Amino acid sequence: MKVLKFKRSRLQRTNYKTRLKILLSHEPRLIVRPTLKDMVVQVAEYNPKGDVIKFTVRASDLRKRGWEYGTGNLPASYLCGYLAGLKAKRAGITKAILDIGSTFSVKGSRSFAVVKGCIEAGIDIPCSQEVLPSDDRVAGKHIGSYASSESGKSKHQFSTYKSDPKKIPEAVITIKEKISKEMSNG
């Protein structure tokens, strides 16, 4: 008699061996799911009846805080992680385990920019420092330098940005301070 696998396993949406390893830590999970134009970050705790999502943060939420640039890039992911880290601290969560699902683990990627933001917010996440993006990339200096160069750039590439892409490093600092102030006030 052939045993049928779980539907999520058949559809390759859930790797149950990996999920079991994460759940055995008995720590909250930092769930990071990148999309093409956004980043979704959730903190979840295990419950036998179903995971309990404590909160969700999206990079598109940064627009409410004055972010005028793309939400699918490295600086937006970092700020999203920073906001998620501060919300986790407010919820009494000091440690979490990274859950990137079926996303490929790539050094310096947007997923690890989220982790860097959470770590800087004060959440303990076991992660090698080697995979985290550099401070220059998190600040968006690579975007500004590419926007100022003329090689290979189409005139529409930065047309969705409301402000000059060269000012992204300043905007990252401003939004980070705004988030810190907002979360400390309550």
Side-chain angles (χ1 to χ4, degrees), residues 126-139:
C127 182
S128 170
Q129 293 294 321
E130 296 172 1
V131 297
L132 299 178
S134 68
D135 291 335
D136 287 345
R137 288 188 61 81
V138 161

Side-chain angles (χ1 to χ4, degrees), residues 105-163:
S105 176
V106 177
K107 176 183 170 183
S109 67
R110 292 188 299 151
S111 298
F112 290 117
V114 170
V115 173
K116 185 170 184 150
C118 284
I119 290 172
E120 287 189 15
I123 304 299
D124 182 26
I125 300 172
C127 182
S128 170
Q129 293 294 321
E130 296 172 1
V131 297
L132 299 178
S134 68
D135 291 335
D136 287 345
R137 288 188 61 81
V138 161
K141 291 180 181 176
H142 65 290
I143 298 172
S145 65
Y146 181 74
S148 63
S149 74
E150 294 298 324
S151 62
K153 179 177 65 167
S154 74
K155 65 179 183 177
H156 299 291
Q157 189 166 4
F158 296 103
S159 63
T160 59
Y161 287 18
K162 295 179 182 174
S163 297

